[in-house]
Amino acid sequence: MAQQPKALSWMFVAWGASVLATLGSLYFSEVMQFEPCSLCWFQRIFMYPIVLLLGMAYARKDTSMHVYVLPLAIIGALFSIYHIAIQKLGTHLGDLAPACGRVPCSGDYLNAFGFITIPMLALAAFVIIIVALFQVRRLR
């Protein structure tokens, strides 16, 4: 039982990362008026429920929630990796980039330091969540 506070701390880290990612995505779309592409929407579909699930789990001190949240985070991370590949290797991936919809997935609204893009920020959040939840799982 001594591990419970550590597990809850890691759960809070995961929840915090999901909140920041959600607020960041809403800022980019609603304030900066960046229209999300199809892959951005898929990443959002997997990130937004994590905020609610981890928030409720943290409030209830339920460290078993990692069983439900880890698959969401892993699938979301895979979408992020795919999106980054399309952005960075678009010409090598052939016709995959234009197949995204109205807004091309190869589009790059944000390119800080030449490599930090919106899907990379999403991947960072998913990785933080995955690492934190594996810590929760280890400490249970």
Side-chain angles (χ1 to χ4, degrees):
M1 194 65 165
Q3 301 292 347
Q4 181 76 2
K6 289 182 184 178
L8 287 174
S9 295
W10 280 107
M11 187 178 293
F12 186 79
V13 167
W15 176 76
S18 68
V19 168
L20 286 175
T22 298
L23 292 176
S25 74
L26 291 172
Y27 174 79
F28 285 136
S29 64
E30 300 304 317
V31 176
M32 299 298 294
Q33 298 296 308
F34 296 159
E35 186 175 349
C37 69
S38 297
L39 287 176
C40 287
W41 276 114
F42 281 110
Q43 292 165 75
R44 287 176 177 206
I45 287 167
F46 287 97
M47 181 63 72
Y48 288 6
I50 292 174
V51 175
L52 296 174
L53 291 172
L54 286 178
M56 290 185 300
Y58 183 77
R60 296 179 63 202
K61 297 180 178 20
D62 178 12
T63 57
S64 66
M65 185 57 73
H66 70 278
V67 173
Y68 304 106
V69 178
L70 263 173
L72 291 173
I74 291 169
I75 294 168
L78 292 174
F79 274 107
S80 294
I81 290 168
Y82 179 63
H83 196 174
I84 292 166
I86 286 177
Q87 280 187 333
K88 298 300 180 186
L89 306 170
T91 57
H92 302 298
L93 292 177
D95 294 330
L96 293 179
C100 263
R102 194 169 79 173
V103 176
C105 293
S106 59
D108 201 358
Y109 290 117
L110 173 74
N111 196 349
F113 308 112
F115 70 95
I116 298 175
T117 62
I118 293 174
M120 194 166 291
L121 293 173
L123 177 62
F126 282 122
V127 167
I128 290 169
I129 292 165
I130 291 166
V131 168
L133 291 178
F134 272 114
Q135 288 296 323
V136 169
R137 182 175 167 230
R138 183 180 66 81
L139 293 167
R140 279 193 76 228

